[in-house]
């Protein structure tokens, strides 16, 4: 848990400096709707029916800008969407309804090293387009009236469309990125559990970027083949995992969602329709547990002697998910890879999926001077009686099964358990700063014992809760 709250706000010129904006602000507060976010040659284009009051802050490690649009509703089709940008020093933009009443739309810009220090905004009243333009980045025009607003209109027809990269985003999705707007079709090879994406009229970029697959990645292999004038991307998942396409928010990208499949068959396995049902669907009568491995990517969590919390909790979480599936539960992970993931998307995933329970898995740490401290703490949100109940079931099982020091059921205002509406807990599974506990935490059979105890506690809670 230790590094979750260290994201300090850094000095930052408010990125939206345009005095003209103030003059154009409507005198009465009107409800605005953000309908789309697109990337163009002139900047980032927000389709919105007026000028919202905006506030921006820049946050370090990882470097990002948070832009809040006041009194703005996010259209449902772009809520919780992720838009690949890969220019203007911005890797991607995450869009979500941050608050419902009063409405606040939040855009999070994940930045790369070329990020400009300040941005300028202008509003095209007739077309309802708010354009955010980076300052000091060459190659951008200053003429918003000629603004192309779709990927296809900026296309130069003399160049072939290329498949430029594959990467994991913050939602556990594999994103295929192209140089221009693309269409595609998909097929699933049941025999090999391989998902094929065929993208016509494209070729593979000579500078193709590919993700590094971890040893415990649910993806076994990713292959790209040029077949005639089409590129075929073949993603082979491990048994127990499936891939499905997601709603498109960007014509230049295809996002594939990776999900674990329950052990209990939900239909005829020969029928591809039942095979590609999302595993978190509650229609099959099974309850869903969302498992949240803490930290990830550059946020390593607690660390000692080259051992990272993010790796221990990911391994433990996968064991936990497997055991819960064997018990008949549906399982969804907030991350299955070593990726950077904010706290709010973790909450949103559980909320959107209407999970029955949420469990965040962490490893504790203290100063070197307190290396004798060891044991397990299980947290619930203050005043959350069901959360407390769940914490008590799980904690009792962990202590009985692992023999770890009992540091008690506690309450604390951790973001992921305070902001989730279902019973939610955060388990600090031990202290990485205690040498003997650290040795147990990296041991896979101890991890499995911990996971089994957590699963048993969740099962007991959900059974008693159902009655
Ligand atoms: Zn942690």
């Amino acid at each position: 848990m230790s590094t979750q709250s260290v994201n300090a706000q850094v000095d930052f010129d408010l990125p939206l400096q345009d005095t003209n904006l103030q003059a154009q602000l409507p005198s009465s507060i009107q409800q605005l709707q953000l309908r789309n976010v697109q990337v163009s040659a002139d900047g980032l284009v927000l389709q919105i029916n007026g000028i919202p009051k905006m506030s921006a802050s820049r946050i370090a490690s990882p470097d990002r800008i948070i832009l809040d649009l006041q009194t703005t509703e996010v259209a449902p089709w772009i809520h919780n969407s992720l838009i690949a940008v890969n220019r203007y020093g911005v890797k991607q933009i995450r869009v979500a309804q941050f608050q419902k009443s009063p409405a606040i739309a939040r855009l999070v810009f994940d930045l790369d090293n070329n990020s400009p220090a300040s941005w300028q905004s202008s509003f095209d009243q007739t077309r309802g387009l708010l354009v955010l333009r980076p300052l000091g980045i060459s190659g951008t025009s200053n003429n918003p009236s000629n603004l192309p607003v779709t990927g296809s209109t900026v296309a130069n027809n003399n160049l072939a469309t290329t498949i430029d990269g594959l990467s994991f985003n913050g939602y556990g999705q594999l994103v295929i990125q192209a140089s221009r707007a693309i269409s595609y079709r998909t097929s699933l090879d049941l025999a090999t559990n391989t998902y094929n994406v065929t993208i016509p009229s494209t070729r593979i970029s000579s500078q193709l970027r590919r993700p590094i697959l971890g040893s415990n990645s649910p993806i076994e292999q990713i292959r790209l083949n040029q077949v005639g004038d089409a590129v075929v991307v073949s993603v082979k998942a491990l048994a127990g995992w499936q891939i499905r396409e997601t709603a498109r928010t960007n014509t230049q990208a295809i996002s594939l969602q990776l999900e674990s499949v329950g052990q209990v068959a939900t239909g005829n396995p020969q029928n591809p329709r039942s095979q590609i049902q999302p595993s978190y669907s509650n229609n099959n009568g099974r309850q869903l547990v969302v498992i949240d491995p803490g930290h990830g990517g550059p946020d390593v969590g607690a660390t000692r002697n080259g051992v990272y919390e993010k790796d221990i909790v990911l391994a433990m979480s996968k064991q936990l998910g497997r055991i819960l599936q064997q018990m008949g539960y549906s399982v969804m992970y907030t991350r299955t890879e070593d990726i950077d993931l904010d706290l709010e998307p973790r909450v949103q995933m559980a909320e959107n999926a209407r999970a029955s329970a949420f469990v965040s898995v962490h490893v504790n740490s203290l100063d070197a001077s307190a290396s004798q401290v060891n044991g397990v703490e299980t947290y619930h949100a203050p005043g959350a009686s069901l959360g407390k109940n769940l914490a008590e079931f799980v904690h009792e099982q962990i202590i009985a099964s692992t023999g770890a020091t009992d540091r008690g059921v506690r309450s604390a205002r951790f973001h992921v358990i305070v902001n989730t509406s279902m019973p939610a807990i955060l388990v600090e599974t031990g202290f990485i700063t205690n040498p003997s506990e650290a040795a147990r935490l990296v041991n896979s059979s101890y991890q499995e014992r911990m996971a089994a105890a957590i699963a048993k506690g969740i099962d007991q809670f959900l059974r008693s809760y159902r009655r």
Side-chain angles (χ1 to χ4, degrees):
M1 201 63 214
S2 53
T3 64
Q4 288 216 339
S5 55
V6 300
N7 284 336
Q9 190 151 333
V10 296
D11 285 339
F12 182 65
D13 285 336
L14 282 186
L16 305 162
Q17 302 160 321
D18 188 338
T19 46
N20 293 333
L21 272 183
Q22 294 304 322
Q24 293 171 32
L25 274 175
S27 52
S28 64
I29 295 172
Q30 65 177 120
Q31 181 77 23
L32 303 172
Q33 190 185 42
L34 177 63
R35 300 176 62 82
N36 207 352
V37 178
Q38 290 166 309
V39 185
S40 84
D42 287 87
L44 304 168
V45 182
L46 279 55
Q47 194 186 338
I48 187 168
N49 57 321
I51 305 163
K53 197 169 187 305
M54 294 182 276
S55 61
S57 56
R58 188 161 178 164
I59 294 176
S61 59
D63 203 6
R64 58 199 193 271
I65 292 172
I66 295 179
L67 174 64
D68 282 345
L69 313 179
Q70 307 292 332
T71 61
T72 303
E73 176 201 313
V74 175
W77 56 89
I78 58 164
H79 173 57
N80 275 340
S81 67
L82 187 138
I83 293 131
V85 179
N86 295 319
R87 61 199 294 191
Y88 309 129
V90 178
K91 285 188 275 193
Q92 58 187 26
I93 301 174
R94 290 170 278 156
V95 184
Q97 188 76 58
F98 178 66
Q99 189 176 297
K100 281 199 175 105
S101 179
I104 299 175
R106 173 164 286 186
L107 282 75
V108 179
F109 296 51
D110 291 317
L111 306 177
D112 64 26
N113 297 331
N114 304 318
S115 173
S118 48
W119 292 67
Q120 196 176 44
S121 59
S122 60
F123 188 66
D124 179 335
Q125 187 81 48
T126 51
R127 287 192 291 177
L129 299 177
L130 178 65
V131 183
L132 306 179
R133 195 176 303 107
L135 294 176
I137 290 249
S138 59
T140 60
S141 140
N142 281 321
N143 186 358
S145 59
N146 294 331
L147 189 71
V149 292
T150 65
S152 52
T153 53
V154 298
N156 174 347
N157 291 324
N158 295 325
L159 293 170
T161 303
T162 51
I163 302 303
D164 292 342
L166 283 84
S167 59
F168 289 102
N169 69 20
Y171 294 86
Q173 296 169 341
L174 179 67
V175 180
I176 302 168
Q177 183 73 40
S179 62
R180 275 189 249 137
I182 45 172
S183 61
Y184 69 100
R185 58 180 187 274
T186 63
S187 63
L188 175 66
D189 180 350
L190 286 172
T192 59
N193 202 23
T194 300
Y195 195 81
N196 296 303
V197 181
T198 302
I199 310 161
S201 308
T202 56
R203 60 177 179 77
I204 302 168
S205 166
S206 57
Q207 272 116 43
L208 179 80
R209 289 170 283 106
R210 304 184 60 132
I212 296 159
L213 298 175
S215 57
N216 50 5
S217 170
I219 293 181
E220 194 176 313
Q221 191 181 47
I222 301 172
R223 278 189 327 195
L224 284 88
N225 285 306
Q226 189 78 47
V227 181
D229 72 342
V231 171
V232 180
V233 180
S234 302
V235 185
K236 182 171 174 11
L238 292 180
W241 289 83
Q242 66 187 11
I243 294 159
R244 67 176 171 89
E245 51 194 297
T246 63
R248 289 186 89 183
T249 55
N250 177 339
T251 56
Q252 286 176 239
I254 302 165
S255 299
L256 304 175
Q257 182 72 51
L258 222 65
E259 299 169 331
S260 66
V261 190
Q263 302 296 309
V264 182
T266 57
N268 177 1
Q270 298 308 312
N271 176 354
R273 276 186 179 285
S274 64
Q275 193 77 9
I276 57 170
Q277 279 292 321
S279 64
Y280 52 75
S281 166
N282 283 332
N283 299 335
N284 55 20
R286 285 185 288 150
Q287 286 179 292
L288 170 72
V289 179
V290 168
I291 301 171
D292 175 42
H295 313 277
D299 171 14
V300 300
T303 176
R304 187 56 43 107
N305 300 327
V307 176
Y308 297 144
E309 173 183 0
K310 65 173 184 176
D311 298 324
I312 296 171
V313 298
L314 183 58
M316 229 177 241
S317 294
K318 286 181 177 175
Q319 303 250 39
L320 172 59
R322 189 178 46 76
I323 296 163
L324 283 168
Q325 286 174 342
Q326 284 166 357
M327 290 174 158
Y329 292 99
S330 290
V331 166
M332 191 172 153
Y333 302 89
T334 56
R335 67 179 179 96
T336 55
E337 300 285 336
D338 181 19
I339 52 160
D340 181 26
L341 183 58
D342 264 343
L343 298 179
E344 189 53 29
R346 300 176 196 246
V347 171
Q348 283 307 318
M349 269 184 238
E351 292 297 318
N352 293 346
R354 296 191 177 84
S356 299
F358 178 94
V359 54
S360 190
V361 183
H362 285 260
V363 166
N364 227 330
S365 66
L366 281 170
D367 289 346
S369 60
S371 65
Q372 76 286 358
V373 176
N374 64 86
V376 175
E377 298 166 355
T378 306
Y379 287 88
H380 58 86
S385 59
L386 285 173
K388 181 167 186 247
N389 223 323
L390 172 59
E392 285 164 351
F393 275 114
V394 168
H395 191 76
E396 187 188 336
Q397 288 301 326
I398 293 174
I399 300 305
S401 167
T402 65
T405 302
D406 183 353
R407 290 179 55 85
V409 170
R410 303 172 177 217
S411 75
R413 299 195 55 80
F414 292 130
H415 185 98
V416 292
I417 56 174
V418 167
N419 292 288
T420 36
S421 60
M422 69 289 308
I425 57 171
L426 186 149
V427 184
E428 291 283 6
T429 55
F431 283 80
I432 202 170
T433 41
N434 177 269
S436 58
E437 194 154 57
R440 286 197 294 277
L441 286 167
V442 297
N443 177 295
S444 67
S445 59
Y446 186 81
Q447 290 173 354
E448 182 163 15
R449 207 182 318 158
M450 180 70 69
I454 296 171
K456 196 169 173 191
I458 292 171
D459 181 51
Q460 286 178 336
F461 168 78
L462 288 174
R463 281 169 191 275
S464 68
Y465 184 34
R466 264 201 297 262
R467 274 201 295 273

